[in-house]
Amino acid sequence: MQAHLVSWCADPGRLVRAGEVVAILEAMKMEHEIVALEDGRICELMFAPGEAVGEGEVLFTQETHLPADASSESPRVITQVR
């Protein structure tokens, strides 16, 4: 199924919390909120508002630290949100 990106609710560099709305997609005349899966920082947005998004395509990337209380020198994980 194909959707269209309506809007971004977070810009690259912004810190987000798990469950926070990052994007709004429209598919089958319904709007769907896409949320951050973990606390972290938005790295890259892959689409512009109005663009078509195919099933399984990466919408944005998000950087997280492991463990949650780790310092900035600790390993980072980049998550691709589809």
Side-chain angles (χ1 to χ4, degrees):
M1 175 182 357
Q2 197 169 44
H4 286 86
L5 178 65
V6 174
S7 64
W8 289 108
C9 302
D11 294 320
R14 179 170 165 198
L15 294 174
V16 293
R17 297 291 217 164
E20 185 176 340
V21 176
V22 175
I24 299 176
L25 296 179
E26 181 184 299
M28 298 180 66
K29 299 184 181 182
M30 294 179 61
E31 288 191 351
H32 305 274
E33 294 180 339
I34 307 303
V35 299
L37 301 177
E38 302 179 65
D39 293 353
R41 182 183 314 274
I42 301 299
C43 296
E44 186 177 3
L45 308 176
M46 306 305 198
F47 294 89
E51 286 190 306
V53 178
E55 187 173 338
E57 289 192 89
V58 175
L59 294 173
F60 64 94
T61 58
Q62 178 181 342
E63 176 183 66
T64 57
H65 293 276
L66 295 178
D69 61 349
S71 70
S72 61
E73 289 87 36
S74 46
R76 295 177 292 162
V77 174
I78 303 294
T79 303
Q80 296 181 335
V81 180
R82 299 176 187 267

